[in-house]
Structures are given as C-alpha cells and as structure tokens.
Amino acid sequence: NRTEPFDYVIFGATGDLTRRKLLPAFLRRFHAGEFGQDTRLICVARSDYTPEAFRAYILEYLHKFAPDVAADQEVLRSFIDLLHYIQLDATHPESDWPSLREALPDPGRIRVFYLATAPSLYGQICAALATHDLISPSARMVLEKPIGTSLATAREVNSGVGRFFPEESIYRIDHYLGKEGVQNILALRFANPVLERLWSTEAIEYVQITAAETVGISGRGGYYDEAGALRDMVQNHLLQVLCMVAMDAPASLRADDLRNEKLKVLNALRPMTPDMVRQNVIRGQYTAGRLKGQDVADYTHDLGTGRASNTESFVAIRTKIRTARWGNTPFYLRTGKRLATKTTEIVIQFRPQPWPIFTNMPSSGRLVIRIDPHGELALVLGVRDPGAGGLRVRNATLSMSYEHGFSISYQDSYERLLLDAVRGDPALFIRRDEVEASWKWVEPILETWRQGLTPLEPYAAGGWGPPSTRALLARDGALWHEDM
Ligand code: BG6
C-alpha cells in the first residue's frame, strides 16, 4: 500500500510532538514500505541547526521512541536521508521562506503542511505560505490540536486557515480517531446487527467513557496550566469517542457521511446552564499521593511556578443526548492526570432484568470496549454458578484481546493519520463544524468555572478523582467501572 512520492513539511520540527510522535511514526511506516526513498520530510523550526546537526539530534529520539525499527541500520540510514531542515521563524516576515520554496520545487507532487506549532500561529503561517506561493493545487494542511481555547478563538484559527485552504484540504488531527479501538467502534456497531439493535436507551442504562492517566503535568505545565483537562481532553478526544458511540449509522464510510452523523450528536448534547454545571460537572486537581508504590507530588509542585493554580487536572461530566435513541440514557465522561491506572475505555451498561427470578443478581449485561493500554472487548454476562447449589448467577466474561487475536503492526495512532493526509482521506479528521460544535457545548462549563461558581476539588494522586465523582453516578444508581 505504497503512497505516491510526497513532500511533507513539518512546522515545529524541534518540538516534543515531532520528536516523540511524528518522526518515529514516519520511520515505522517507512520501515513498513509505505513510502519510498523519493519522499521528502522537510522539517522547519526556529532553532539554528545545520541539516547534519538536525539529523544527529533526531537520531537520538528515533532510537528512543522507535527502538525496534531504528535497530535496522540500513532502514534508519535511508530514512535519515529523507530529512531536510530549514531554519525559519514563522512570525517573522523577513524569514527564510525562499529556502523553503527552493526545497519544494515541484508543485505537481503531493504536498502536505503539518502545523505542530502554537495554534495562534496557524493563520500567520498560512498567509506566509500564500505570499511565498507555496500552496500548490494539491496542497493539504494538517492541524494539530488545540484548535483554539474557546469558540471565538477556534473560529479565528479556522478562518485564518480557511482563507488559504479549502475545507476539504484541511485535516484536523484528533489522535484518538487513529486508535484501533476507537475505529473498531464503527465495525462493532455497524457490522453487528445483534448489537446495533440493542444500541439505544431501551436496552442501555448508561454509558461511561474514561480516559485515565497516571502521568502528571510535569514537563508541560506551561501549556497544561493554561488549558486544563476540559480543553486538553474533553473538548476533543472524549467528545469524539462519545460521537462514535452515540451516532446513527452513516450512509457510507465516506468522510462527510461520518462527520455529518458525529455533528448531529454534538448538536444534540444537552446544553449546560450554570445550574447544570454545578450539578453535573466535577472538577478536581491532584494532591500528593502514592501511585504504583511511589510517592508523587501535587499539581502545584509539578507546575513548578511556586504559585497555586486554579486549573483542573480532572473532570467528570454527566450529560444526556437529546434524541429518540438516547433520551433517557446518561453518558458519563471522565478524564484526569495522576489517576490509579492508565486506561481508556468505554463501558456500556445494559438495563437489568425487570423482574428478577434469581435470588441473587450480580450486575451483568455489560460491554467493555477497552482502547488503551491494550485493545480489548469484554462482554460480561450472568451465567449459572456451577459451584453453588440451586440456581445462583455469577458473572463470566467473554473477551477478545487485539494483541492476542491479531498481530497489529501499528504502534501509534499517528502512524495511521500522517499518511491518510497524503492519501487524501479525511475520514479520521475533524471537520470545522465539529470543532466549533464541541466548543459551543464546552464553553458554558468554562464560563461557569470562570465565575467561580463551582469548587476545584482536591483528589489524592493514585486514586480515581474527588469523592464527589462517585456521588455523581450514585444519583442514577450507577457505578464507575472500578466499583462494579
Ligand atoms: C493529548 C493530551 O492530546 O492526549 C495529553 O494533550 C494526554 O495531555 C494525551 O496525555 C493522552 O493521549 P493517549 O493516547 O496517551 O491517551
């Protein structure tokens, strides 16, 4: 499945994302033979590197983040030869744009720009690309998140880029859509009528979507403290996963059919009023604690400014989707740093038996879609307990693990997404109206917080967030997965 030769220009090439994710992902796909020696990866950043020095600098990260493929010396050497470096300050009109132009002599080749810089520069970079006549007819623009920090700024970023690139050439990344488990939601739902027929409020009592992380914020406190968990994880990743779980069947798997259905979900989310935020949203910040047998510090310490902060590192939300399919089913979302374990998962809890005939009834009828750290599907069913006398019921799990079931060669979701832009397939990228609909829903929460109407609750590192998180579900008689 080899692509045509292409020129890929990465702005922000000395940043964390490029070193840790993008270039290792390119190396893996190169190793897999998906593109050839005639391709160019043009790395652009402000730092003063010669091309040789840049290559040497990147080599270290390739060994660190793709050690298995970097061990193949021959492939590694050929890959390094594809890397070019251009020093350029995108904010400066006098910068060396002519060198970039020289590096892109052929407007007939597929040309992809990837912006891994501060989003406030996106518009400016696009304008400079236009001024220097770098936007070829087939040029594509890939944008990293965050697209804005509010609805107004998201619109600004989108308009800034939209002035120079048509919407169908803009690829907004949400790396969660590149995850195997997230894509499999489509197959699971729309290839299995046995599930899809049950996929509504009639059979589903509640849905929970968790993205729990054990890492804290150290190393990227500057960004994180401005963003917080709601902007960093909910506005994009969690809402996209929610869309995949809740959307109606698209007419086809083409990008716009999928995106139209996702957009309907976002527009149907029950709007938040300040009162609803108070009752349905928990915000927390981690304090010191013990995680996997180690002492870990609190948020303020990790931030390293010596000042207290009002930013949340944890959010839990209870919401509903105002459609005939979902009306009575609460959706619970939660994400946080320094939680007990790294897990990204969806729990679909089916309604209980209306008239229990067994003397005991464990809570069964649950489908768990685990996305990370290992893809897994698990269906928890009640079965007769063979060890007990009479007819007692106990839970048994039918499970399928991707790792054991298939040999997967994608290590990272960027590996899929980077080349989708080359192939011109935007299905796993976010359309402008989706980004703006997500911000529209998130904004009243931010506004209520800004007015100081809800407390920032402390939670000990190594647990599952503030104690009120449990109460949020208890109201509906529901439990978080770890309590089941
Ligand atoms: C990023 C966030 O988008 O996603 C990070 O900025 C977060 O804060 C990361 O750690 C989580 O991604 P994953 O793939 O590890 O779940």
Side-chain angles (χ1 to χ4, degrees):
N1 194 10
R2 185 176 273 235
T3 63
E4 282 176 49
F6 57 84
D7 295 331
Y8 219 103
V9 186
I10 304 175
F11 285 86
T14 52
D16 183 60
L17 184 79
T18 308
R19 295 181 314 218
R20 211 161 42 88
K21 296 280 189 181
L22 306 184
L23 292 178
F26 272 120
L27 173 61
R28 285 184 195 284
R29 291 299 97 205
F30 181 65
H31 186 257
E34 283 192 35
F35 58 91
Q37 205 67 56
D38 39 8
T39 277
R40 278 185 303 229
L41 302 173
I42 300 162
C43 299
V44 178
R46 275 180 307 191
S47 312
D48 182 11
Y49 281 110
T50 60
E52 294 69 38
F54 179 75
R55 290 180 182 144
Y57 162 77
I58 286 301
L59 209 52
E60 181 193 329
Y61 292 96
L62 295 175
H63 280 296
K64 188 160 169 200
F65 294 110
D68 45 337
V69 282
D72 184 334
Q73 282 302 322
E74 203 178 315
V75 168
L76 185 64
R77 234 175 289 124
S78 314
F79 178 75
I80 285 288
D81 283 345
L82 310 182
L83 298 180
H84 301 255
Y85 184 77
I86 291 179
Q87 183 190 2
L88 192 154
D89 181 348
T91 60
H92 213 282
E94 304 294 295
S95 264
D96 196 6
W97 293 94
S99 288
L100 182 56
R101 217 189 124 101
E102 263 166 48
L104 294 168
D106 182 358
R109 267 163 80 103
I110 295 174
R111 185 176 291 179
V112 182
F113 297 104
Y114 191 114
L115 304 191
T117 63
S120 53
L121 301 182
Y122 291 177
Q124 223 172 326
I125 295 176
C126 291
L129 291 174
T131 306
H132 296 277
D133 199 19
L134 287 162
I135 306 179
S136 57
S138 68
R140 285 143 212 184
M141 175 51 79
V142 185
L143 303 179
E144 235 332 299
K145 70 162 257 258
I147 308 286
T149 53
S150 62
L151 178 57
T153 51
R155 282 188 176 139
E156 246 167 63
V157 172
N158 282 331
S159 307
V161 176
R163 263 197 287 284
F164 304 100
F165 288 85
E167 179 62 29
E168 59 276 14
S169 305
I170 303 175
Y171 292 70
R172 295 177 193 80
I173 289 232
D174 185 312
H175 78 277
Y176 270 49
L177 292 186
K179 290 179 188 275
E180 182 64 43
V182 173
Q183 290 178 44
N184 190 45
I185 298 170
L186 290 178
L188 189 68
R189 292 191 50 202
F190 303 125
N192 297 293
V194 66
L195 286 178
E196 187 55 15
R197 300 236 155 89
L198 295 177
W199 215 260
S200 76
T201 200
E202 273 175 51
I204 295 180
E205 193 178 8
Y206 56 87
V207 174
Q208 50 185 259
I209 301 173
T210 297
E213 297 185 273
T214 52
V215 292
I217 57 147
S218 43
R220 57 203 285 266
Y223 154 75
Y224 194 88
D225 199 52
E226 288 290 313
L230 188 68
R231 288 190 179 96
D232 185 50
M233 293 290 292
V234 178
Q235 182 273 332
N236 34 66
H237 309 321
L238 264 58
L239 287 184
Q240 281 294 318
V241 174
L242 174 120
C243 286
M244 298 291 262
V245 173
M247 73 187 199
D248 284 345
S252 79
L253 292 176
R254 277 205 309 272
D256 276 335
D257 286 334
L258 280 167
R259 293 146 140 196
N260 290 344
E261 293 307 329
K262 287 195 287 167
L263 182 66
K264 283 190 212 159
V265 174
L266 293 169
N267 285 332
L269 283 171
R270 189 170 64 180
M272 288 278 181
T273 60
D275 262 351
M276 287 180 37
V277 173
R278 267 197 295 262
Q279 287 161 23
N280 295 287
V281 183
I282 314 279
R283 60 194 295 253
Q285 189 186 79
Y286 63 83
T287 57
R290 272 185 87 71
L291 216 164
K292 295 189 180 145
Q294 302 225 319
D295 288 327
V296 294
D298 63 6
Y299 182 93
T300 314
H301 177 276
D302 285 354
L303 187 57
T305 58
R307 266 179 284 115
S309 155
N310 191 35
T311 300
E312 80 288 354
S313 57
F314 176 94
V315 199
I317 301 177
R318 173 182 179 276
T319 185
K320 289 206 170 152
I321 300 173
R322 299 170 303 165
T323 58
R325 187 196 275 264
W326 291 118
N328 281 325
T329 298
F331 281 72
Y332 309 117
L333 310 176
R334 67 175 166 169
T335 183
K337 303 282 186 201
R338 287 284 191 237
L339 297 182
T341 179
K342 164 84 185 167
T343 179
T344 304
E345 61 170 33
I346 301 155
V347 177
I348 310 286
Q349 179 65 49
F350 292 98
R351 293 197 187 280
Q353 179 64 287
W355 182 252
I357 58 169
F358 301 98
T359 46
N360 75 311
M361 255 333 272
S363 146
S364 32
R366 177 160 65 247
L367 176 66
V368 180
I369 305 170
R370 172 142 319 112
I371 292 157
D372 279 324
H374 302 295
E376 186 191 4
L377 287 175
L379 183 62
V380 180
L381 297 173
V383 297
R384 179 178 178 273
D385 184 347
L391 246 175
R392 285 182 65 80
V393 178
R394 60 179 272 187
N395 282 341
T397 303
L398 291 175
S399 80
M400 190 283 289
S401 126
Y402 286 98
E403 223 180 12
H404 299 126
F406 306 94
S407 67
I408 313 174
S409 58
Y410 287 96
Q411 308 263 334
D412 191 276
S413 52
Y414 278 97
E415 282 183 55
R416 289 165 203 270
L417 299 174
L418 288 175
L419 293 183
D420 278 2
V422 172
R423 298 196 171 100
D425 181 2
L428 298 176
F429 297 80
I430 319 284
R431 204 168 56 190
R432 173 175 184 160
D433 47 10
E434 291 178 79
V435 176
E436 295 181 7
S438 319
W439 277 117
K440 197 166 159 206
W441 184 73
V442 158
E443 211 158 59
I445 306 177
L446 289 168
E447 184 51 34
T448 307
W449 289 353
R450 203 160 26 234
Q451 292 174 13
L453 297 176
T454 53
L456 179 67
E457 301 175 45
Y459 63 94
W464 284 101
S468 55
T469 311
R470 209 175 251 162
L472 185 71
L473 268 64
R475 247 164 56 199
D476 301 325
L479 294 172
W480 289 108
H481 196 189
E482 67 278 5
D483 293 334
M484 288 174 176

